[in-house]
Structures are given as C-alpha cells and as structure tokens.
Amino acid sequence: MCGIFAYFGPKEKAADIVLKGLKKLEYRGYDSWGIAAKQKDGRIYIEKHVGKISEVISLEDSLTSPSHLAIGHSRWATHGGVTQFNAHPHADENNKVVIVHNGIFENYAELKQELIEDACLFSSETDSEVLAHLIAKNMDEGFEKAFQKAISRLKGRYAVLAICEDEDKLIAARRGSPLIIGQGEDTYFVASDVPAFLAYTKEVMYLDDEQMVVITKDGATFSSLESGKTIKKRLISIDWEVEEAEKGEYPHFMIKEIMEQKDTLSRTINTAEAKLNEIAKLISRSDRAYIIGCGTAGYVAHIGEYLFAEIANKEVIMRPASEFHLSARFLTEQSVVIAISQSGETADTLEALKLAMNAGAKIVSIVNVESSTMARISDKILPIKAGPEKAVASTKATTAQIAILTLLAHASANKLDEGRQLLIQTMGSINDMLNPRYEDHITSIAGNIMNVQDIMVIGRGISHPVAMEAAMKMKEVSYIHTEGFAGGELKHGPIALIEEGVPSVVIAPDDNFKNEILSNAMELKARGALIIGVSPENAEVFDYWIKTPSAKHANAITHIIPLQILAYKLAVLRQHNPDMPRNLAKSVTVK
Ligand code: M6R
C-alpha cells in the first residue's frame, strides 16, 4: 500500500534516482505519484501527478539547481480522492517541511481541526498533510525535535519520510508499515521495499516499529520513538538478484512469475528437514492449530487445511486473518498459529498475529519476504524463497506456499521423504506443462470467453479453495465477475446464475471427488453453461479441455497454474494491465 523511497548521497541527481526507484515500487500503489527534491540553493522542489509514473524519464530539467536529497511516493488512495492535490509529497503552507506517508493517521481529523484553528492552510483532503504542519509548527526547536514532537501526537499505522528547507537531514519513522534502509558508499536509501534500491546496494538495515532514523552526510542514527534512546543496527546482506526483480523479455511480471514456477518449487523442496520436523512437532503437540491469511494467502491457508487433514489426519483450522478475532479468544500458550503471506506486511494478518502473541500462542510464518515484519515477529519462519513477486496478482508465491504446506503436512505424518519425492515429480510435470503450445491453447479458450459478464469456477475437496483462488485471479486482473464455489453447494443457490453460455470452469483432478464434480458439471451443462474442464482426462461434458498433470496431494499446484494463465490471458485480451489492476495494491498495509 503506497511505495515510498528516498535518496541521500553524493550524486547530484537525487530526483532522478528517486524517480527510478519509485518505478520499481509502483506495484505498491499507482493512482498518483510525486517527488520532492532538496536543491543546492536549499529550496525544495515538488512535482506530483495523477496516473502512473512509468512513462516519465527525468525531472532534472525542472530543478533550478542540483539535488542530493529527494523523497518520493507512489499512492494507493485511502483518505481523499485521486487528485494532484492529494498526491504526496505534502508540505506546510510555506513549503518548509515536506513529508511522504504510507498508512493511516487515525486521529488526523482532530489534529487537522486544531491546526486549522492555529491558522494552518491545508491544500489536500489527506490524513497525511497534518504531519507536515505539525512538524513545521515546532521547527524553532530544530527539525529532529519538531519531528519527534509531531510523531508523538499521531495514532495509527505509518511509515513516513520528512525533509526540511533549513537542515540537510532526512528523517524516517515507522509504526506498522515497512521501511528499509539501504546503505551504499556515503549513500543512503530508504524504501518500502528492497527492489527500489537493489541496483545500488544489497546492504540493508531494517527500521523496526516505533523507531526513527536520522540521516545526514555523517551517517544514519537510529533511535526509539518512545524513549529517544539510540539503537545500534546490524548491516544485513540480502540475496535477491537485480534480474529477479525485472521483467526481462516478458511483457508483464505476471506471466514472467507464472513461468518462473518451473524453478521456484525446487527452492522450496530444499527446505531443511530439521526445520520442517521441528515445526511439525510444534503443531502435533499443540492444543489448537490455526492457519490464517488474506486474499490469495487465505485460499492457500484453506488448501493447507485440506493438506493437513488428508496427509497427516490433523485438524488445522483455516480462518481469514481479518476475522481471526473470533478464534483468538480460544488460544492458549499451547496453541499454534500458522500465518501465510507473500509480503509479510499485510496489516490484517499482522493484527491477527498480535492477538496470537497476546495469548502466548506460538507463531509460524510462511512468507516470501524474509525480512518482513511477520517473519521478524514469528517464533519460526518457513521462507518460501520464490524471489521477488512484483505483479499484484500472486502466482509463484501461491504455489511455493502450497508446496511448503505439502512438505509440512508430510512432515507431520512422519513421511517427509514421500512429500519431497512428490514435489520433485510435480516439478517435472510443471516443466512439461508450461510450453508455448499449452499457453496458445489457453489463449484460444480465453479468446472465446473474453466478452462474457460472468464466469463460474467449481471444485470439490481441495479443489474447492483452488476454485476460489482461480476465481480471485480472474476477477482481479480481467475484471470479469468470477465466483468460485464448492461443487456440492451449486444446487443450494449459485446455480440460479447459470444461463445459456455462462463459462463454468470445472476443476476435476484425479481424486475421490472426480465423479461427483463431473455430475455437477452435467447439472451446469443441462442449464446451458459452457464447460471448461481442467482435468488430467477429457470428459464428454467438457466443451473445452485444459489438460493437467495428475499430481496426487500436489493437485492444487498443478490445477491452479493453468487457471493463472487463463486469468492472465483474459486480462491481456481485454487490454488491461495485469500487473497493476485497478483499485488494488501489492501489499495491503492498512486494515
Ligand atoms: O502479501 P500477502 O500474501 O499477505 O497478501 C495477501 C493478499 O493481499 C494478496 O494475496 C492478494 O489477495 C493478491 N492480490 C492476490 O493475488
């Protein structure tokens, strides 16, 4: 939710460095953007626009003198519409203090009222602007003190950056939204995510909640927001490659990441045995085990519930993280909560984990971003090692999460080797499946249904959450109304939506539910539906057939991949950018 980025260093093209970095963060929010650059003459130049940043090449010509310090923001609107005024950065009325903000200041309305009574002039409808005015009010005490005073009055979640005209300093603070400091030679970067500065440095320091950092030409000083005490930070080297965060020869990140699934599972398969067994033990000794996540990660959690039941005969209850409060009351110190998340920064999941921590339950997180807040607050982490996922629609992280849950469920049943063997075979079939002919076949099906109003997806057993995830993928990138149902639920209501020609995707792996789901397909066809079968074998009821590898307990993986491709093709044929669907953002750091 919103990308923020700053550069402080010897290079005198700070505005363009920030422009370049912001482009790498655009997946976090892309309805508007802006940059503030501190010029050699001390004045701060601000430029902001509605729309995507991608096409802008340089800002340097607009500056009156070179700049070595700049901050930038790409926005996902929360408070105030998508307008140039509401785009960040925001400044006080004299342009002396400039800030960017990711998150929500919950008490902004009362602060704004107070500031207006104090004769402050507001130029936006955002909650964020209050911070610039609050700092500006106390600047006679110095920038740092004024910043601390201002931040102490704010409630809510935030990551903020601030600069001012009078002092050559960059200040950043966080509570609940990510901020990472990249360190190069005499150079500092501050960003919501690593890809923004990956081209310059892989040496990072993490700003934790309730901390701030003051960066000057002499270095970075970290301190506690509450006590003001200085904090020492360790420099950590990260192992992401620049190319992994680039599109390369692909037209979109989404298709690149779908294709990367040929390789990503191999990294998951290598997860250390000792770690998996240790977590499996924790789960089997627990009095209650829950598995939670939001959106796609929630559907993965639901798939996990099936995997634990079917492979290990163990009940691990799935809950959407945003509704976990219902179950949190039953947690004890013997309970385990498994959190699924790509980013490790999803606010709803973090809130749920806070409840778990308060109850003393053990937290296991299955995350892609190992440096994320979720990973750092967990008792145990299982990193999925899928590499940077940039498309808003999750694909490779999804299958890597399912793969690790498959291993964990096997470890819980004391048959980890069997689990690894299964995934090795599955990798082979994914490699065979992901060829250009397969893609063309799915493109032609997408071409035939691209103008419909609605799509249904059904599955039974583990294919039920797979159906819901497939529907999520299609609706979020193609904007076609798509719903996923359990096959058995159709006749209890959803079948009323079926009329002549409604495409209905039927997920029919080679499992115990095959005959039943094919009967459901017949029921749909009898009412005029166009049946797209996703199955290892063709069936008479299918109008179109997408062949899938039979993968036993890994069927969820082999059956979601073709539907990720279908979603992608529908988006592209309907001329939507699948990497940046409307109204969405990659990492949802607000509740
Ligand atoms: O980073 P997380 O996995 O915690 O994100 C959770 C959801 O916001 C995410 O899966 C979302 O539903 C994606 N748009 C799905 O493609």
Side-chain angles (χ1 to χ4, degrees):
M1 213 103 301
C2 302
I4 61 184
F5 184 48
Y7 168 83
F8 189 136
K11 295 205 171 85
E12 293 203 323
K13 290 212 162 198
D16 278 5
I17 293 172
V18 170
L19 182 74
K20 233 165 131 187
L22 267 193
K23 287 183 185 181
K24 311 253 183 249
L25 291 181
E26 214 178 4
Y27 65 94
R28 297 179 65 90
Y30 34 82
D31 54 40
S32 51
W33 64 275
I35 287 175
K38 184 156 182 191
Q39 304 176 117
K40 240 186 183 153
D41 57 17
R43 293 215 319 271
I44 299 176
Y45 170 80
I46 299 180
E47 176 149 345
K48 41 196 203 177
H49 297 274
V50 167
K52 297 195 172 77
I53 195 170
S54 321
E55 284 87 40
V56 183
I57 292 169
S58 172
L59 293 181
E60 294 300 328
D61 286 349
S62 315
L63 270 62
T64 48
S65 62
S67 155
H68 63 284
L69 167 60
I71 59 177
H73 185 274
S74 75
R75 182 172 188 241
W76 186 87
T78 57
H79 291 58
V82 180
T83 64
Q84 194 181 1
F85 284 124
N86 289 338
H88 295 221
H90 292 289
D92 67 303
E93 56 275 316
N94 302 313
N95 241 19
K96 293 272 184 205
V97 175
V98 183
I99 64 101
V100 293
H101 166 218
N102 169 21
I104 293 175
F105 296 142
E106 285 162 6
N107 59 337
Y108 85 100
E110 60 192 76
L111 291 172
K112 186 168 177 175
Q113 191 51 41
E114 177 191 310
L115 288 159
I116 289 171
E117 281 164 18
D118 229 11
C120 288
L121 296 175
F122 277 76
S123 53
S124 78
E125 304 155 321
T126 65
D127 53 330
S128 312
E129 194 184 334
V130 293
L131 176 60
H133 293 283
L134 280 174
I135 301 173
K137 247 177 69 170
N138 293 304
M139 275 301 278
D140 48 352
E141 297 180 39
F143 185 30
E144 222 173 299
K145 274 260 148 38
F147 180 90
Q148 275 163 331
K149 238 183 183 168
I151 214 88
S152 70
R153 300 210 52 205
L154 292 164
K155 295 198 176 118
R157 305 168 63 83
Y158 53 76
V160 294
L161 303 178
I163 55 174
C164 72
E165 241 185 43
D166 299 346
E167 296 179 39
D168 212 20
K169 274 183 186 155
L170 165 65
I171 307 186
R174 80 165 266 184
R175 180 193 285 155
S177 296
L179 269 188
I180 302 147
I181 301 18
Q183 187 179 322
E185 209 175 318
D186 301 324
T187 305
Y188 289 94
F189 305 89
V190 185
S192 317
D193 201 356
V194 171
F197 54 73
L198 202 52
Y200 304 98
T201 182
K202 289 185 183 172
E203 304 296 305
V204 305
M205 290 175 282
Y206 294 101
L207 194 65
D208 290 309
D209 273 350
E210 311 292 339
Q211 292 182 352
M212 65 182 264
V213 57
V214 179
I215 298 171
T216 65
K217 66 174 180 18
D218 301 321
T221 311
F222 293 79
S223 60
S224 151
L225 279 176
E226 210 185 321
S227 66
K229 276 197 184 136
T230 306
I231 296 166
K232 274 216 148 34
K233 288 278 171 183
R234 215 161 42 92
L235 210 54
I236 297 167
S237 293
I238 44 162
D239 60 1
W240 285 6
E241 295 304 326
V242 178
E243 304 74 50
E244 283 186 296
E246 304 289 345
K247 276 201 294 249
E249 71 210 30
Y250 290 95
H252 299 106
F253 278 110
M254 185 174 174
I255 190 70
K256 175 185 180 242
E257 290 160 6
I258 289 173
M259 292 303 160
E260 278 175 357
Q261 291 174 109
K262 288 179 188 170
D263 303 314
T264 40
L265 293 193
S266 64
R267 289 181 234 156
T268 317
I269 293 169
N270 291 327
T271 306
E273 182 171 343
K275 203 169 195 184
L276 287 162
N277 284 335
E278 198 185 352
I279 296 172
K281 220 176 256 166
L282 206 64
I283 297 169
S284 67
R285 286 183 185 158
S286 64
D287 60 354
R288 277 189 181 82
Y290 289 100
I291 181 161
I292 63 169
C294 291
T296 290
Y299 296 132
V300 170
H302 202 163
I303 289 169
E305 185 177 33
Y306 279 91
L307 290 171
F308 278 105
E310 288 175 0
I311 300 168
N313 201 27
K314 171 86 193 155
E315 186 174 42
V316 177
I317 302 164
M318 180 270 167
R319 291 278 181 264
S322 58
E323 292 298 327
F324 189 59
H325 51 87
L326 183 69
S327 305
R329 70 189 73 206
F330 304 116
L331 293 172
T332 71
E333 286 177 6
Q334 276 71 51
S335 308
V336 172
V337 179
I338 307 169
I340 312 289
S341 177
Q342 189 285 129
S343 62
E345 299 293 348
T346 299
D348 288 316
T349 313
L350 287 170
E351 278 301 306
L353 292 183
K354 232 186 233 167
L355 299 177
M357 280 160 82
N358 291 345
K362 290 272 173 302
I363 297 171
V364 176
S365 62
I366 297 183
V367 288
N368 194 26
V369 183
E370 288 176 55
S371 54
S372 59
T373 310
M374 220 172 282
R376 282 179 295 132
I377 63 167
S378 296
D379 297 291
K380 308 267 173 223
I381 325 165
L382 282 172
I384 60 169
K385 306 238 174 251
E389 190 180 67
K390 300 283 285 288
V392 164
S394 178
T395 55
K396 63 174 179 173
T398 306
T399 49
Q401 287 159 344
I402 301 172
I404 215 143
L405 284 168
T406 310
L407 288 180
L408 197 54
H410 277 91
S412 297
N414 284 321
K415 40 187 189 188
L416 187 52
D417 286 347
E418 204 179 293
R420 280 200 214 276
Q421 276 315 314
L422 171 69
L423 289 182
I424 290 168
Q425 280 162 18
T426 306
M427 255 187 65
S429 6
I430 292 172
N431 251 296
D432 296 344
M433 175 171 73
L434 288 178
N435 60 53
R437 239 176 344 120
Y438 195 71
E439 217 185 309
D440 288 349
H441 175 58
I442 297 177
T443 310
S444 86
I445 297 175
N448 288 327
I449 62 168
M450 62 181 274
N451 293 318
V452 298
Q453 296 268 335
D454 310 285
I455 300 177
M456 300 288 166
V457 191
I458 60 164
R460 277 177 177 258
I462 202 166
S463 303
H464 167 216
V466 176
M468 291 194 287
E469 165 54 12
M472 162 82 109
K473 220 69 319 155
M474 288 192 234
K475 75 180 93 163
E476 73 181 326
V477 297
S478 76
Y479 314 148
I480 298 175
H481 169 243
T482 312
E483 292 299 335
F485 297 107
E489 287 297 309
L490 261 183
K491 55 188 176 296
H492 299 290
I495 203 158
L497 296 171
I498 300 299
E499 49 188 46
E500 201 56 39
V502 172
S504 301
V505 177
V506 175
I507 305 174
D510 218 351
D511 62 14
N512 294 342
F513 302 100
K514 181 142 184 204
N515 291 338
E516 285 173 1
I517 198 75
L518 290 179
S519 300
N520 296 141
M522 294 297 284
E523 291 156 14
L524 289 169
K525 192 161 180 136
R527 285 153 183 88
L530 179 87
I531 308 293
I532 302 167
V534 183
S535 178
E537 279 168 26
N538 204 349
E540 216 184 311
V541 66
F542 297 162
D543 294 295
Y544 298 108
W545 174 40
I546 300 177
K547 189 169 187 225
T548 46
S550 192
K552 301 185 189 123
H553 287 307
N555 274 334
I557 299 176
T558 54
H559 286 69
I560 193 60
I561 293 175
L563 295 171
Q564 295 171 342
I565 301 176
L566 182 62
Y568 171 76
K569 297 293 175 185
L570 284 170
V572 173
L573 289 170
R574 288 164 63 90
Q575 300 191 335
H576 301 309
N577 178 353
D579 287 347
M580 295 184 194
R582 69 181 177 211
N583 304 338
L584 295 178
K586 181 69 180 159
S587 177
V588 186
T589 53
V590 292
K591 283 199 280 173

